[in-house]
Amino acid sequence: MKPSVVVTKARPRRTTGMRLAKSPVMLNWMYLPALLLFAVFIYYPFFRGLLISFTDWDGYSQALHYIGIDNYKRMLTDSRVHTVIINTLIYGLGSTLFQNMFGLLYALLLNKHGKAKTFVRVIVYIPAIVSPIIMGYIWYFLLQYNGGAINDIIMAFTGKPVNLLADPKVNVWIIMIVNTYQFLGIAMMIFLSGLQGISKDYYEAAEIDGASPLKRFANITFPLLAPALTTSIILNLIGGLKLFDVIAALTNGGPGYASASLSTMMYQLYFARQDAGLAASLGNLMFLLITVISLTSLYFLRRKELSQ
Amino acid sequence: MRTRAFWFMTLAILIIMASGCSSRPDSGSTGSGNTETGSGKIGSGKAKTTLSMMVNISDESLTQAYREIVDGFTKENPDISVNLQFDSTGYENTMKVKMAANDLPDIFDTHGWAKLRYGDYLADLRDEPWASQLTDTIRDVVTDKDGKVYALVLTEAKDGLLYNVDMLEQYGIQVPNTFDELIAAGEKIKKESGGKTNPFYMSGIDDSMIGQYLDNFANPLLITAKNNDADALLNGNFDWTHITPLAQSLVDLQKKGLINEDVLTAKRSDLPAAFAAGKVTFALVGPAFMDSVHAIAPDMKIGIMPVPSMVAGDEPTFAGGERNTLAVWKDTKHLDEAKKLLQYFAKPDNMAKLSNVSKNPPGLKDIKTDHELTPYYEKYANIRVFPYFDRVYLPNGMWDVLCKNGTELLAGRMTPEQFSESMKTEVERLSKK
């Protein structure tokens, strides 16, 4: 009879450090630095901005003079602010619509096997890694009145250049298109990752049942892409509603405030016009606008996801 | 896989650390600095005191002149080093943020706003040896009614219109004395150049050029003539319809085709190339732009003329004010050292050097200069100099209104009458503060 050998695992000795690390009190202390950073860089500026919106502060003096809700009254009655709100909505909603539309289209096309697949993906994504201000300048040089490539093409047909960036009926849409072009690669990548998570079994089963490609898209692809769609829409909405750099490079919000967004107008009011109170009111309006639009979209998109 | 990820992360962290370290403005010791902007610390590594200094320029030759002067100072005073920072595009905004935080550099440029904007933050320099030497045209600009001197004016602005001397000679045009003569000259140049030259260049994107036009011509319209609106503007009972002709003049320039067609989308940075190519005759900018023109067309002769009169019987004038200045923060811990550095800048050789490089008149008396515009400043020595219109007659914050409203005029989104109405409203709003 062989002697039986019982091997027992030695229990690791629990050190004081390990005990502390597992203690709930200690774990609570761990998130304090993050909370502190949030308080200093997010909450304090937010509440300070709220406070400033009730003053006529010039943006640099030491004293604050309270004027009640005058800035909000001015904001609601100023026709330039109305134009800027409409522009902001065009940048936010328009970019979101087109970025998702084209992003999804590219994702569907590039999700299949093909020799140029990776190359095209990179080409579509590259604009997203370029700084928005640089992208704005690139498009400025393409669109500029004297010597712009696009104007040279227009001149070849009409014999006369067109000042596309000077017309508020046109330049707002150009800005929206440039923003769409720059960031549709991100939407494409989100959709691509969503598409790659869908099991091929669904498509095989649908094919056996004789479902057409359109029906497969409508009943399999689109519903299962809902979480990706939610992410993409929310990201695009927030980015579009906060649009700044491209506008600064292409038109600087002009002529006047004709192509300005809430972000660029806020910046100009604060620094150039020394109207920090009104700028803060606009900041709060922008916060409200982004919160309401994003949360409403999130609510409906989540409901759609759950109903699938 | 984990090893690859580890090395990737390590590399990324190292790159971030390296880029972070390289962007620290104060990282270097003697003579270190940012080669692109010319910013950096100057002085001995053994210095006991470091002065922080911020200047509102980016022009390479001028930054070099500042560095040379500071270098001379630190060699003479090895116990003091100077952290010299240059900026132009973001200077104004940076300073506003610093004022809000009440944390300013020891010495800084007040770029036209010594009294109105920075006044509460500045030390009184009235007892400095150079204070009595401030020129007659600049003394009141940087001195208040109690005698407080706010800044050392290294160079002062004497703004009129810079013009292409050869082009006026080519078309046989005398320097215009009145606004009507200026328009006539412009029309002649436009016609005889076959439309190749648009006499004036403005930028709607960098709309300060449009604001500059309105500000420079507001003086001849409202201030410099015998019967003027100066008192009414100061007393707050100005009839704002009187400013409508100024707005109308800008619209007329555009209607007559005398401004660049792409005015709303042109950029200020394109002006030197257009000027050098003979596409522009008159420029409403400071002399700093001349170096950019000469980089393209070294032999082009550029002159300066006073702002033509707009009222019958009046004479041309210059618009004046601070250009390059140095002031001392009142709460600095190194007041004596800062004053010492200003005294060094105020030496005649240094003043002349800055004046010659920037092509602006010096802010102190009896400084001999020799640059391209010297003959013009001598020729027009007796021409009256009036302070910038907005600094005296408009409340702080109106500059942007001028710029934006001017752009709206040119875009056809505002009439001259609406311009005047908007000016009235904004002045009333800002005056209440």
Side-chain angles (χ1 to χ4, degrees), chain A residues 1-16:
Chain A
M1 205 175 157
K2 283 183 183 176
S4 61
V5 179
V6 181
V7 180
T8 52
K9 271 188 181 174
R11 286 182 70 189
R13 270 188 71 197
R14 292 183 71 184
T15 61
T16 316

Side-chain angles (χ1 to χ4, degrees), chain B residues 322-336:
Chain B
E322 309 162 33
R323 180 126 291 150
N324 304 112
T325 68
L326 291 177
V328 179
W329 181 31
K330 70 175 169 56
D331 295 332
T332 175
K333 288 174 184 160
H334 312 297
L335 186 62
D336 292 337

